[in-house]
Amino acid sequence: MSAARGFGAEMYGLGLALARELGAGRIETVVLAVNEDGLAFARGHGFVEVERYVLDGESDLWVDLRLAGAES
């Protein structure tokens, strides 16, 4: 169950503003696949899945996501 207190959205907004101020042409994030709240948060903020993978010698599934329309 999600706590959803808004801290993540506030931190995300500040980080996104700084990335844009610094000229970022692409915004990406990585989320552990079992983190359903994290994936929902990313998708809810416009990120789309790019790739799923397991690191060599590990068993955890990771998801790479990219902010749609953020490329320059």
Side-chain angles (χ1 to χ4, degrees):
M1 184 187 302
S2 172
R5 288 181 237 132
F7 297 125
E10 184 176 342
M11 289 178 11
Y12 167 73
L14 293 170
L16 181 60
L18 180 59
R20 288 185 169 150
E21 180 182 318
L22 295 173
R26 182 183 297 168
I27 310 293
E28 298 179 327
T29 192
V30 179
V31 179
L32 190 58
V34 297
N35 181 355
E36 294 177 13
D37 287 342
L39 287 172
F41 180 91
R43 290 181 177 128
H45 284 86
F47 285 81
V48 294
E49 186 173 324
V50 176
E51 179 181 13
R52 287 179 177 245
Y53 56 91
V54 175
L55 297 172
D56 290 340
E58 300 293 327
S59 60
D60 294 325
L61 180 63
W62 294 91
V63 182
D64 283 353
L65 301 111
R66 181 175 299 142
L67 186 58
E71 294 184 42
S72 55

